[in-house]
Amino acid sequence: MVSANYTSLLFLLISLLSFSRLTLSVELTFELPDSAKECFYEVIEKDTESTLEFQVVTGGHYDVDVELRDPMKNVLYKEVKKQYDSFTWTAERTGEYVACFSNEFSTFSHKLVYIDFQVGDEQPLPGLENQIEPLTQMESSSREVHESLNKVIDMQTHHRLRETQGRKRAEDLNERVMIWSLFVTFAILCVAFGQVWVLKSFFSDKKPSQMYAGLR
């Protein structure tokens, strides 16, 4: 009996790890060149709740233009020079929805953008599709573990994004400090050589011809 319970618990844990993300979602990071525009297309059924989340990881002032349109080309969401945001809506009709990210306002800085396009509700765990409330203690525990795993995955994703963003800012700051240090070093050397040359000219011996020319 104890062995059977352990076997069932092990199966539930494996199922949780294997199906921790059962929603239909697109999660990716892509590079957006300067003066460029990238669009993503997703077919969504009517009355389906969807969420679009994005964040500019690196590049420029960490901002991008975002526009979301429905199959009838109506604008559902539009932001200009936005760093990050999340938008949730319910589809009013079945069709192809378009999410576009634009960097056309920038002429030299590339952007690295993270997006998470989630469509529909999360599916139930394997074995709990037709389960009727109330659930058993093990089933309730497995559901809580599943929800906790989803939260952990989201936290890890955002932590990696913040880590990448911080590392990029540190590298940019290091590059600027290096350039400024080289400029200051060059300026100090120029001033030092200039002072040596001026002091040397004060103590240089003048030829007699130069002295007579000065008296005239």
Side-chain angles (χ1 to χ4, degrees):
M1 183 67 179
V2 176
S3 178
N5 289 335
Y6 278 123
T7 303
S8 301
L9 181 59
L10 181 61
F11 173 75
L12 285 173
L13 290 176
I14 294 175
S15 300
L16 288 173
L17 294 174
S18 301
F19 299 94
S20 58
R21 288 288 181 157
L22 290 172
T23 52
L24 177 60
S25 63
V26 176
E27 187 176 5
L28 57 89
T29 303
F30 67 97
E31 184 177 358
L32 187 61
D34 54 283
S35 304
K37 183 177 181 180
E38 294 287 345
C39 294
F40 299 88
Y41 303 84
E42 186 68 38
V43 177
I44 303 176
E45 299 292 334
K46 183 180 179 181
D47 297 329
T48 301
E49 186 178 77
S50 305
T51 301
L52 175 64
E53 181 181 359
F54 69 92
Q55 179 179 346
V56 181
V57 182
T58 61
H61 296 286
Y62 301 90
D63 52 1
V64 70
D65 295 342
V66 184
E67 185 177 85
L68 178 65
R69 292 180 178 270
D70 65 3
M72 303 302 295
K73 306 302 181 183
N74 298 321
V75 178
L76 301 178
Y77 173 84
K78 184 176 182 180
E79 290 290 343
V80 177
K81 294 185 178 181
K82 195 76 172 179
Q83 293 184 354
Y84 60 89
D85 200 5
S86 178
F87 176 69
T88 302
W89 80 100
T90 301
E92 297 182 353
R93 56 178 58 87
T94 301
E96 189 175 62
Y97 289 74
V98 184
C100 292
F101 298 84
S102 175
N103 193 30
E104 295 175 331
F105 58 87
S106 178
T107 57
F108 59 88
S109 54
H110 287 47
K111 306 290 176 63
L112 189 65
V113 185
Y114 161 83
I115 64 170
D116 186 6
F117 205 154
Q118 299 182 2
V119 179
D121 297 328
E122 187 175 7
Q123 300 178 10
L125 291 173
L128 301 180
E129 297 88 349
N130 300 322
Q131 199 74 12
I132 302 176
E133 302 285 347
L135 301 176
T136 64
Q137 184 176 1
M138 182 173 292
E139 291 170 346
S140 300
S141 299
S142 64
R143 177 178 292 179
E144 292 176 1
V145 172
H146 174 68
E147 293 174 354
S148 299
L149 284 175
N150 284 339
K151 292 180 181 179
V152 169
I153 292 174
D154 290 335
M155 292 179 62
Q156 287 179 339
T157 299
H158 288 87
H159 177 73
R160 285 194 296 267
L161 291 175
R162 288 193 296 268
E163 181 183 8
T164 303
Q165 192 175 55
R167 183 173 64 251
K168 181 61 177 177
R169 288 181 176 178
E171 291 175 354
D172 292 342
L173 180 60
N174 180 61
E175 183 179 357
R176 293 178 182 179
V177 171
M178 180 65 69
I179 295 175
W180 176 252
S181 300
L182 292 176
F183 173 76
V184 172
T185 302
F186 178 75
I188 292 175
L189 291 176
C190 290
V191 172
F193 282 115
Q195 290 179 344
V196 170
W197 182 80
V198 171
L199 290 175
K200 185 178 180 181
S201 65
F202 288 160
F203 297 98
S204 60
D205 295 334
K206 295 183 178 181
K207 296 180 180 180
S209 60
Q210 293 179 348
M211 295 179 61
Y212 292 146
L215 292 176
R216 293 177 184 178

